[in-house]
Amino acid sequence: MDDLVFMDAEIRPNRSLSQRGFVVLISVLTVLNCASAAIFLSMGAVFVPMFLGLDLVAIVVAFLVSFAAAKQIERVLVTDRQVQVFRETPTWRKLMWESPTAFTRVTLLTEDDHAIDLRLALSGKEAPVARALSPSERAEFAKALEGAIYSARRARF
């Protein structure tokens, strides 16, 4: 018998720069670094262009790491039997949390009317959820998650 699904949410981090924007940014930075390197070479500063190149490589690596992190998806699945949280990328999927729906609690930590942290709790164990969301989105997600768990409990018993 299949479980009834009350929530199947997919949380993706916000990607602030498109692939095209990344290419344009790196192109502009490369041109500026080459111009700066030419000026410093003409003044006799031989080692400055190497540091400018290292600077550009560090920026490229930082953006590539950011793009790889943006591919990670968090999936929250609430059925009448259990609550599951998965972390997924295009190459792997890992179960981060699993608990029976009847005993799972949603804990939302707020500070100055901002949702700071959202966690699932069971028997003293906790797991963070929806860290990629903004505070207002996290508060809305907490309400939707509590509603889905409540509906799942009602359907089960």
Side-chain angles (χ1 to χ4, degrees), residues 26-154:
I26 295 303
S27 299
V28 169
L29 288 176
T30 301
V31 168
L32 291 174
N33 274 359
C34 287
S36 299
I39 291 170
F40 282 112
L41 278 175
S42 69
M43 293 179 357
V46 181
F47 296 108
V48 172
M50 289 187 291
F51 287 106
L52 289 173
L54 285 174
D55 180 45
L56 187 63
V57 168
I59 291 171
V60 169
V61 168
F63 272 106
L64 293 177
V65 168
S66 173
F67 289 156
K71 291 179 182 177
Q72 187 170 342
I73 300 168
E74 184 176 26
R75 182 179 299 276
V76 179
L77 181 66
V78 178
T79 66
D80 59 342
R81 294 179 186 262
Q82 60 191 356
V83 177
Q84 295 176 320
V85 178
F86 296 97
R87 296 272 181 346
E88 302 175 359
T89 66
T91 57
W92 57 266
R93 180 178 183 175
K94 183 177 179 184
L95 179 65
M96 302 302 290
W97 175 267
E98 185 174 30
S99 62
T101 304
F103 303 108
T104 304
R105 294 184 329 269
V106 177
T107 306
L108 182 65
L109 177 65
T110 59
E111 184 176 290
D112 296 333
D113 296 332
H114 288 89
I116 302 299
D117 194 25
L118 176 61
R119 294 181 174 267
L120 291 173
L122 171 73
S123 301
K125 297 178 186 173
E126 292 184 334
V129 181
R131 290 203 168 173
L133 298 178
S134 68
S136 60
E137 292 172 330
R138 196 174 296 133
E140 289 177 27
F141 185 75
K143 289 178 188 175
L145 183 58
E146 284 178 331
I149 290 173
Y150 179 73
S151 298
R153 286 178 186 157
R154 289 185 53 197

